[in-house]
Amino acid sequence: MRDLAFVAFLFAFIGVGFRKPFLFVLCFCYIDIVAPQRLSYFLINSIPISLIVFILAIIGWLAFDDKRDTRWSGRQTLMVILLFYCWMTTMGADFPVEALDKWGWVWKALVWAIFLPLTLRTKLRIESLLLFMLLSAATIAIAGGIKTAAGGGGYGELQLLLSENYGLYEGSTMSTVAVSIIPAILWFRRHGTVFPPDWRVSLFCFALCFACMLLPVGTQARTGLICLGVLALLSLRAVKHRLLYIMGAVLLVAAAIPFLPQSYTQRMETLQDYRTDQSASTRVAVWAWTWDYAKDHPFGGGFEAYMQNRLRVETTGSSADAGRPGAGDPVIHDEQSRAYHSAYFEMLGEQGYPGTLLWLLLHITGIVQMERVRRRYLKTRRAEEQWIAPLATALQHGHIVYMVGSLFVGIAFQPFIYMMLALEIGLSTYCRRREQESGRNWMRPRAQGFAA
């Protein structure tokens, strides 16, 4: 029955796409995030549905879309350079077979992020893409939130529709993404036009935000807790009554602590000293190994270069083990082929210093550009521009949360964040085009616009 529902939905979606080619773009985003072909048992799991829709989206844009408003961004050029550099490191990778396997989906994520801004010519398209991204992620977040609220969960135990760690179905990855999309969800509550704001939209948005905040509890991902803390600090910029916000946040945390599972609080306590936890200690050891590896291989070892690491990890007892025989004695663990568990060290080990600098430049310029758009439109009085500054703020906050979360998760090439990058590029090029058409200088601070 589930397979029939997927087939009916996808074929209806694709069928309408032949009348409105931009729907192919939205359909591919849905497939790339939710991966319905992996949730299917027999009908579409043997069909390259992702590749088919990918090709249809590009052909639909080339053949039918209006190109007059298309703009190219410097960040797209950065992604082209990063794509070419990743190809070069793949050709000389330490593990050629494994590297080609990862390259098989990385190039698609980068090419899609390069292509996507070319299609975002209007506000409706920008909003529609963001809406589909949020609803696709919500498919996973709601399922995880319900299971967590029902008492399920645990580190490595909470199944998010799919039993394998693929894409957003990996606990730490989804916890990071779930927290990063909360600002965009709240943006839709006030400024959405596809679903005009009313009490039903507000109810759904608040419920979805609650589900997203439950995910770090259900997955017991320490990364999610850190991301929630970062988002709480960033939100101080947008709230009007900061003192009330801080007091409410403190009371909410104090009220929630007694209801948290003991296994969750014990796992969060390892943030105080990583040496008490084997997983955290192994991550630090991998980061040290990667740093030394990059000194000898400054241009990187290609995808999956971590497979050659050999580590000796030492852990100590935690406060919970006090009083047990031998609790204070260090324990030695021999590890090998352990993943980076950090996007920064993932880039350093696989793409070396040049690739890491390109990657950092791509993300930093995106955050800076959103700050520029935010400040430019923050005080505008034009009704048709009221949505721009809040959206720039939401995308910027989500991007910062991702950058913090990626310190502890190997998601340097996670397709979802590259879609978010494409949205940022689309928003900035849309604003630049509007100002150029109206005769205003995009490079100059707006003065007359605020009083218009």
Side-chain angles (χ1 to χ4, degrees):
M1 180 61 76
R2 184 168 67 177
D3 282 38
L4 292 175
F6 277 134
V7 170
F9 175 72
L10 287 174
F11 275 83
F13 209 154
I14 294 171
V16 178
F18 285 103
R19 296 193 61 185
K20 298 289 184 180
F22 181 69
L23 292 180
F24 287 136
V25 174
L26 303 180
C27 186
F28 178 81
C29 291
Y30 163 76
I31 292 172
D32 204 36
I33 296 170
V34 180
Q37 68 274 22
R38 289 180 175 265
L39 296 173
S40 172
Y41 293 113
F42 63 93
L43 286 179
I44 59 174
N45 58 1
S46 59
I47 302 173
I49 188 70
S50 178
L51 180 61
I52 292 172
V53 178
F54 180 87
I55 294 172
L56 286 174
I58 294 179
I59 292 177
W61 178 78
L62 289 173
F64 304 108
D65 211 17
D66 189 354
K67 315 296 189 302
R68 288 177 298 177
D69 296 332
T70 300
R71 297 290 188 275
W72 185 264
S73 168
R75 278 167 288 166
Q76 287 167 283
T77 302
L78 278 176
M79 284 191 280
V80 171
I81 298 172
L82 181 60
L83 175 67
F84 179 70
Y85 186 82
C86 289
W87 173 78
M88 289 196 303
T89 59
T90 302
M91 294 301 100
D94 293 346
F95 296 88
V97 176
E98 291 80 1
L100 280 174
D101 184 57
K102 183 172 179 178
W103 168 253
W105 60 266
V106 167
W107 77 263
K108 294 177 186 176
L110 287 173
V111 168
W112 187 250
I114 295 166
F115 163 74
L116 200 51
L118 302 178
T119 69
L120 302 178
R121 299 184 294 104
T122 65
K123 176 184 181 293
L124 179 60
R125 289 192 173 192
I126 293 172
E127 181 182 341
S128 298
L129 175 60
L130 181 59
L131 178 63
F132 263 78
M133 288 174 59
L134 294 181
L135 291 179
S136 298
T139 303
I140 307 171
I142 292 173
I146 292 174
K147 290 180 179 180
T148 301
Y155 185 67
E157 298 179 5
L158 183 66
Q159 290 190 7
L160 302 172
L161 296 181
L162 196 64
S163 58
E164 57 182 296
N165 290 332
Y166 172 83
L168 295 188
Y169 292 99
E170 194 277 323
S172 296
T173 303
M174 187 58 206
S175 294
T176 301
V177 170
V179 177
S180 71
I181 65 176
I182 289 176
I185 296 170
L186 296 177
W187 178 87
F188 263 100
R189 175 180 167 264
R190 289 181 175 272
H191 301 282
T193 57
V194 176
F195 295 103
D198 62 12
W199 68 270
R200 292 166 298 182
V201 172
S202 294
L203 181 62
F204 178 80
C205 289
F206 286 136
L208 181 54
C209 288
F210 182 65
C212 290
M213 289 187 287
L214 279 179
L215 272 181
V217 178
T219 60
Q220 295 190 5
R222 291 168 291 206
T223 306
L225 178 64
I226 295 172
C227 289
L228 280 172
V230 171
L231 180 60
L233 291 175
L234 290 173
S235 299
L236 285 171
R237 301 178 67 199
V239 297
K240 294 181 179 179
H241 307 288
R242 294 180 180 178
L243 182 59
L244 290 176
Y245 171 82
I246 294 173
M247 293 175 60
V250 171
L251 290 173
L252 181 63
V253 171
I257 288 177
F259 298 97
L260 294 175
Q262 184 179 2
S263 58
Y264 177 81
T265 55
Q266 289 177 348
R267 183 166 173 78
M268 295 307 111
E269 286 176 358
T270 60
L271 289 170
Q272 299 176 4
D273 187 358
Y274 70 89
R275 291 170 298 179
T276 62
D277 181 72
Q278 183 180 350
S279 174
S281 298
T282 302
R283 293 187 187 196
V284 175
V286 171
W287 297 345
W289 175 89
T290 306
W291 184 260
D292 293 334
Y293 176 83
K295 293 177 182 178
D296 298 327
H297 304 78
F299 297 101
F303 293 126
E304 314 292 20
Y306 72 87
M307 295 181 67
Q308 58 196 292
N309 63 44
R310 300 291 184 271
L311 311 168
R312 173 155 288 194
V313 181
E314 180 180 309
T315 60
T316 60
S318 65
S319 58
D321 299 324
R324 296 180 183 178
D329 299 334
V331 180
I332 304 299
H333 308 271
D334 290 320
E335 305 281 358
Q336 64 180 17
S337 302
R338 295 302 298 263
Y340 299 103
H341 287 288
S342 170
Y344 298 84
F345 287 98
E346 177 186 0
M347 290 300 301
L348 186 61
E350 295 182 346
Q351 310 306 324
Y353 295 112
T356 304
L357 289 175
L358 281 172
W359 183 78
L360 287 172
L361 183 61
L362 176 64
H363 288 289
I364 291 172
T365 52
I367 293 171
V368 171
Q369 186 65 26
M370 287 300 96
E371 179 64 20
R372 184 181 175 188
V373 173
R374 174 185 175 273
R375 293 187 179 186
R376 191 169 183 80
Y377 288 92
L378 186 60
K379 297 180 181 179
T380 183
R381 295 179 183 176
R382 292 187 174 93
E384 69 274 14
E385 296 177 350
Q386 294 291 325
W387 61 278
I388 296 177
L391 180 57
T393 303
L395 293 175
Q396 182 194 54
H397 287 183
H399 201 154
I400 293 173
V401 169
Y402 160 80
M403 294 301 290
V404 173
S406 63
L407 282 166
F408 312 102
V409 191
I411 48 176
F413 295 101
Q414 168 56 237
F416 191 91
I417 187 58
Y418 283 93
M419 293 183 198
M420 188 179 290
L421 270 171
L423 266 172
E424 294 176 359
I425 295 171
L427 177 62
S428 60
T429 54
Y430 168 82
C431 294
R432 184 168 69 242
R433 189 189 75 245
R434 277 178 55 90
E435 299 212 356
Q436 289 173 348
E437 289 174 351
S438 62
R440 291 175 286 179
N441 191 335
W442 168 256
M443 301 300 295
R444 246 191 354 248
R446 294 182 65 184
Q448 71 275 14
F450 294 154

